Amino acid sequence: MLERFSLTQALSPVFIAVGCLFFAANVDLVYRISSYFMALGAFLYHGIQKPAPGTFRTIFGESKCSYSEHEEDDVIMGIAMEHWKHMDLFFVCFTICYTACFGSGIPAIVIAGICFVGSSTQHRANALTALAMIPIVRKAVVLHASMQVVALLSCVCGFSVFFLCPPNLWPTRYRYVWHFCCMIFVYVGSLLNSINDES
């Protein structure tokens, strides 16, 4: 598994780690830990993805790709990749849903349980995060207008790359766009978390 680890694929989640460095004040521990694990999980999952042959034409030009699902002759490796993907999706879902529910009184363990089930497939994870964006957009009205625009653009761009990706492939250029948008979300989420914590 580690002998094929690709730094080119794995380094895009460094954007998320950068977002964690600029947390707003008073961010609670659950959000901090979730964001750190989101970065770590993405680093490991994207790094061990199997490179796909050839290139794919993206809106940014030709890009190398990796398989987002397991493309393995080895059954054990295939199962391991499924679990890595589930873990990666779980931390994305939990970070977004925790932001949506923060201040509502819903226990973090309940949110984690819903996200664990919801992140079992890509389609469920997409639906869950899309639903969670509704209360987040409503919360974002307390932010400065320029930050609202940045947050909205990052959400639109971030979700768009999923629809632009070919089936079962992660073009490297789209991977970097997605994790850059995640960095913005992690920072904006920390602002919302901080504001709710003060209120």
Side-chain angles (χ1 to χ4, degrees):
M1 183 184 296
L2 292 179
E3 63 271 11
R4 76 171 191 209
F5 192 86
S6 169
L7 272 180
T8 303
Q9 295 170 189
L11 282 178
S12 59
V14 169
F15 282 131
I16 305 174
V18 171
C20 294
L21 294 176
F22 294 95
F23 277 145
N26 303 323
V27 175
D28 76 327
L29 185 61
V30 174
Y31 186 84
R32 286 180 183 275
I33 293 173
S34 174
S35 299
Y36 292 143
F37 273 98
M38 180 180 170
L40 178 61
F43 176 81
L44 295 172
Y45 170 63
H46 285 269
I48 62 174
Q49 286 179 2
K50 183 178 181 180
T55 59
F56 174 76
R57 180 175 291 280
T58 70
I59 59 175
F60 307 110
E62 295 293 324
S63 176
K64 292 183 178 179
C65 301
S66 62
Y67 291 109
S68 57
E69 300 282 349
H70 65 279
E71 285 286 326
E72 308 293 342
D73 297 326
D74 184 346
V75 176
I76 302 297
M77 184 61 180
I79 294 172
M81 284 299 297
E82 285 183 5
H83 287 299
W84 278 112
K85 181 175 183 179
H86 190 185
M87 176 198 68
D88 178 54
L89 289 175
F90 168 76
F91 284 114
V92 172
C93 286
F94 181 78
T95 305
I96 293 174
C97 290
Y98 186 75
T99 302
C101 297
F102 190 75
S104 67
I106 301 174
I109 190 70
V110 173
I111 300 171
I114 293 170
C115 290
F116 185 80
V117 174
S119 59
S120 58
T121 68
Q122 184 73 60
H123 295 301
R124 288 180 184 174
N126 290 349
L128 186 59
T129 52
L131 284 174
M133 293 310 297
I134 296 171
I136 290 174
V137 169
R138 290 177 179 170
K139 288 182 176 187
V141 296
V142 300
L143 301 176
H144 189 276
S146 60
M147 186 55 67
Q148 291 181 41
V149 172
V150 170
L152 179 62
L153 287 175
S154 71
C155 290
V156 171
C157 292
F159 279 107
S160 294
V161 297
F162 282 112
F163 297 101
L164 292 172
C165 287
N168 194 23
L169 290 176
W170 251 119
T172 297
R173 296 190 180 194
Y174 287 161
R175 187 194 326 271
Y176 276 79
V177 171
W178 164 244
H179 287 130
F180 181 80
C181 293
C182 286
M183 173 191 71
I184 296 172
F185 179 84
V186 163
Y187 174 69
V188 171
S190 77
L191 291 175
L192 296 175
N193 180 285
S194 177
I195 292 168
N196 281 323
D197 193 47
E198 293 172 354
S199 57

